[in-house]
Amino acid sequence: MGKVQAPKRNQTIAARRRRWAVLGFLGPNLIGFLVFTIFPISASLVISFYEWPLLGDAVAVGFKNFLRMFTQDPVFWQISFNTIYFVVGYIILNLVVSIGLAVWLTSGIRFAGLFRFVFFLPVVAPMVANSVVWRLLFVPDTGLFAAALATIGIEAPNWLGSPNWAMPSVILMSVWAGFGYNMIIFIAGIQAIPASIYEAAEIDGVNAWTRFRHITFPMISPSIFFATVMTLISALKVFEQPYILTGGGPGSSTTTIVFYLYQQGFQNYDLGYASSIAWMLFLVIMFVTAIQFWGQKKWVHYA
């Protein structure tokens, strides 16, 4: 009996050692996740129920910050509209450009690898650097865009100083900086489609648009769904572009929710109200993402 129990005891000791080894490897990341993610998120939820100035005593106010957001803040709804404006424009242009270029780059053109590198390069460049460069391009009189339009006799608008042009300019810059990520995803999806399907379509005389509509789009729909979800989340959190390009102006025409959160928390030192805005945005992202996952059953086709 002693000989039978000894191997079991050894196995138990070995399993315990493996568990401790796993905990040893996971421990630093787990501690970092708890300290720098879970704790700040939990703290922000608590702070949202307080009137919490950066300097001074915190006072519990319940849901007053949330009521203030929806009923008393004179600019909140305009900022929400600005965010929706950016999200819709950015997502549509980003997906159209990235899908179009992905189809073009997988059509057998020369130097496709070079073009992929060039188009993806803005994604890995810092967003702040991209924004600073585009701010110089948008200079009304001496910028590159103004000079290009002047050559054909068109006077360039005040791109970043006009309420009508500021948000489209921010969207344009953001699309340039971000479409390369989705483009790579779509290229991978298109290359995974069996070539025999396209060959059969060509034999039947199917034109390029019909091939895209009935073959390419349905078969890369999982990639499109993933790209749409991730692009929507990143668009709702936009901050650097309006901060660098326009400072939220002119007026509040390019101020987004995250930018407004920053202003309330770190310029007005109203941490309670800033936390309530953050949690409102979190709930919106969760709700919209849930709708996307619910609606994918109607148009996403998994092989």
Side-chain angles (χ1 to χ4, degrees):
M1 292 295 292
K3 294 181 179 180
V4 175
Q5 293 178 353
K8 292 183 178 180
R9 187 181 301 110
N10 293 335
Q11 292 175 1
T12 302
I13 295 173
R16 188 180 298 113
R17 288 176 177 173
R18 286 195 296 269
R19 285 195 294 269
W20 280 110
V22 170
L23 290 175
F25 283 112
L26 294 178
N29 286 332
L30 183 60
I31 293 172
F33 179 73
L34 292 174
V35 173
F36 297 106
T37 301
I38 298 299
F39 176 74
I41 290 175
S42 304
S44 69
L45 179 60
V46 174
I47 293 173
S48 67
F49 296 105
Y50 282 78
E51 184 177 321
W52 197 306
L54 188 62
L55 301 175
D57 297 329
V59 179
V61 294
F63 290 94
K64 182 179 178 181
N65 287 324
F66 295 93
L67 293 175
R68 170 189 169 188
M69 186 190 316
F70 294 110
T71 62
Q72 300 176 10
D73 193 331
V75 299
F76 175 76
W77 291 109
Q78 178 188 352
I79 290 166
S80 299
F81 173 78
N82 294 343
T83 305
I84 295 173
Y85 182 6
F86 177 86
V87 168
V88 173
Y90 176 70
I91 290 178
I92 292 175
L93 287 178
N94 188 305
L95 293 179
V96 169
V97 171
S98 56
I99 292 175
L101 289 176
V103 172
W104 178 60
L105 291 174
T106 54
S107 62
I109 65 168
R110 298 179 62 185
F111 308 113
L114 176 62
F115 284 120
R116 283 199 300 268
F117 169 77
V118 172
F119 292 146
F120 187 75
L121 195 59
V123 178
V124 299
M127 184 61 72
V128 173
N130 290 336
S131 300
V132 170
V133 171
W134 275 74
R135 186 174 182 178
L136 297 176
L137 297 178
F138 280 132
V139 173
D141 298 323
T142 59
L144 180 62
F145 294 151
L149 291 176
T151 59
I152 56 177
I154 299 177
E155 183 180 357
N158 187 357
W159 302 101
L160 303 179
S162 168
N164 297 324
W165 284 99
M167 185 59 80
S169 300
V170 173
I171 293 174
L172 178 63
M173 178 266 155
S174 302
V175 171
W176 173 85
F179 77 87
Y181 180 82
N182 288 339
M183 180 195 69
I184 295 298
I185 293 175
F186 297 142
I187 288 175
I190 293 173
Q191 290 178 338
I193 301 174
S196 58
I197 299 178
Y198 287 112
E199 294 172 357
E202 291 179 1
I203 292 174
D204 291 338
V206 178
N207 59 38
W209 168 248
T210 304
R211 289 198 302 270
F212 172 79
R213 180 181 177 185
H214 295 286
I215 299 175
T216 305
F217 185 87
M219 298 196 75
I220 66 169
S221 57
S223 300
I224 296 175
F225 171 70
F226 171 79
T228 303
V229 171
M230 300 305 295
T231 304
L232 174 65
I233 294 174
S234 65
L236 285 170
K237 299 188 299 180
V238 62
F239 171 75
E240 295 97 330
Q241 299 93 303
Y243 179 77
I244 299 296
L245 290 174
T246 64
S252 299
S253 59
T254 57
T255 301
T256 59
I257 290 178
V258 175
F259 191 7
Y260 190 56
L261 184 159
Y262 165 80
Q263 289 178 324
Q264 294 297 320
F266 298 98
Q267 293 181 353
N268 298 337
Y269 304 132
D270 193 348
L271 299 182
Y273 190 48
S275 296
S276 65
I277 296 173
W279 273 93
M280 182 279 301
L281 179 61
F282 171 75
L283 294 176
V284 168
I285 291 175
M286 291 291 291
F287 177 73
V288 174
T289 303
I291 291 178
Q292 288 180 296
F293 273 90
W294 173 78
Q296 68 165 324
K297 300 176 183 178
K298 300 182 179 180
W299 65 277
V300 178
H301 306 279
Y302 294 99

